[in-house]
Every structure is written in structure tokens, then in C-alpha cells.
Amino acid sequence: EQKCTRDIGKFLQFIAEDYVISFLKEVCNIDCAGVSNDINGNEPTWDVITHNGIRIQVKYRGGKQSGRPKLFLETTRRNSQKNAGAKGASGHVAYGSDEFDVAVFVVPTETFDYKTTKGLHVIAIPAKELVNPLHPSILLKNVPAKIIDKYHRNAKEVLCNLE
């Protein structure tokens, strides 16, 4: 039996985005919406935007590493001249440090039920915490354990104080 975790993750990404929109409304009383494509059919670099203009990048992440969720921010953009150097050194492209305001990771717990979305955990990390210290114009591609530990239980506080 072959696992298709990449395809499952892509499917669950849409659920994660809707879950974050609901979380923001129900828990923080913040109105927001998913983004729309521009006239060329391209999406912006964030997934959800609040009515006050806070840009939120949502990521569904189901993997674990050393008992923590494995949180990463690499994109699958083209490795073009625009994305040359440190931004695309791994074969994937790092987000620019100005592309969104907060990263929200939606992580399944042991009790996750994909039919109801019960058992999802939200981790919200301000983008400024993810800036690569060696290349300040881009974000880290992998979230360090120290940052995960700092924000693992603070999603409500981080998100409710966005506006």
C-alpha cells in the first residue's frame, strides 16, 4: 500500500484555510476571507486576509519530527532568476520576509476526524519571528523547535491581537 501524503495534504489545505477563517471569526471575532485570484489567474502569497488587511499564510502540516509538528514554509515556485541565491538554494523557494504578516499552521492531533475537523490544533507565528537571520529578506524554510515551542499553545493570543 503506497501512501500519498502529499496529495492528502493538498486536499486538507483547503479545509485548513476554511478552518482558520472560522477560528478567527468564532474565537477572535475577526472578519476575514479567503483570497481570490488576480486578473491573470494568480493567487497572492497569502491565503486569508482580514478586513483590516492582515495577511495570513495558512499551512496544513501533518508530519512530526522529534515529537513536535514538522513545520516548514518552502514553496514550489519556479526557480527563476528572480528566486536565485539563498531564496531558492534548496530547490524550493523561501518566502520573502514581506509576503505575509502571520503564518498559521493547522496540525492534526491524535483525535483528528477529517469528516468533522475535530482534533485540529492551530499554531500561529508572526512572520517577523521567522525571518532568516543570515538573509533578512527571506523567511526560514523550516521553523526551529525553539519557535515552535514558544508559539505552540498561543494561537488565540497571537491571532486575537492581530488587529
Side-chain angles (χ1 to χ4, degrees), residues 69-88:
K70 183 177 171 113
L71 306 182
F72 57 95
L73 287 165
E74 293 178 325
T75 69
T76 53
R77 297 176 185 161
R78 289 189 179 103
N79 267 326
S80 62
Q81 186 65 32
K82 175 183 167 188
N83 297 320
K87 192 170 188 176

Side-chain angles (χ1 to χ4, degrees), residues 5-6 8-10 12-13 16 47 57-64 68-76 92 95 103-109 112 120-121 123 141-143 148:
T5 56
R6 176 184 285 166
I8 292 168
K10 287 180 181 180
L12 291 172
Q13 175 64 25
D47 299 307
Q57 178 63 40
V58 179
K59 295 292 185 189
Y60 174 84
R61 295 293 184 247
K64 289 203 179 275
R68 290 180 183 87
K70 183 177 171 113
L71 306 182
F72 57 95
L73 287 165
E74 293 178 325
T75 69
T76 53
H92 289 88
Y95 284 101
V104 178
F105 299 93
V106 178
V107 180
T109 66
F112 174 58
L120 288 175
H121 178 66
I123 302 171
K141 293 180 183 178
N142 292 292
V143 181
I148 294 172

Side-chain angles (χ1 to χ4, degrees), residues 103-139:
V104 178
F105 299 93
V106 178
V107 180
T109 66
E110 295 78 27
T111 61
F112 174 58
D113 178 359
Y114 70 91
K115 296 176 190 170
T116 65
T117 67
K118 290 184 180 173
L120 288 175
H121 178 66
V122 176
I123 302 171
I125 304 173
K128 65 184 179 186
E129 293 277 354
L130 300 167
V131 173
N132 185 325
L134 300 176
H135 305 281
S137 64
I138 62 175
L139 298 180

Side-chain angles (χ1 to χ4, degrees), residues 16-89:
E17 290 171 21
D18 286 344
Y19 187 78
V20 169
I21 291 169
S22 295
F23 184 95
L24 286 164
K25 181 63 179 168
E26 293 169 15
V27 176
C28 301
N29 200 29
I30 295 175
D31 290 321
C32 58
V35 297
S36 301
N37 293 352
D38 65 16
I39 59 171
N40 297 318
N42 297 315
E43 292 181 345
T45 58
W46 60 88
D47 299 307
V48 173
I49 190 160
T50 70
H51 287 270
N52 286 338
I54 303 297
R55 303 163 301 163
I56 302 168
Q57 178 63 40
V58 179
K59 295 292 185 189
Y60 174 84
R61 295 293 184 247
K64 289 203 179 275
Q65 183 174 7
S66 302
R68 290 180 183 87
K70 183 177 171 113
L71 306 182
F72 57 95
L73 287 165
E74 293 178 325
T75 69
T76 53
R77 297 176 185 161
R78 289 189 179 103
N79 267 326
S80 62
Q81 186 65 32
K82 175 183 167 188
N83 297 320
K87 192 170 188 176

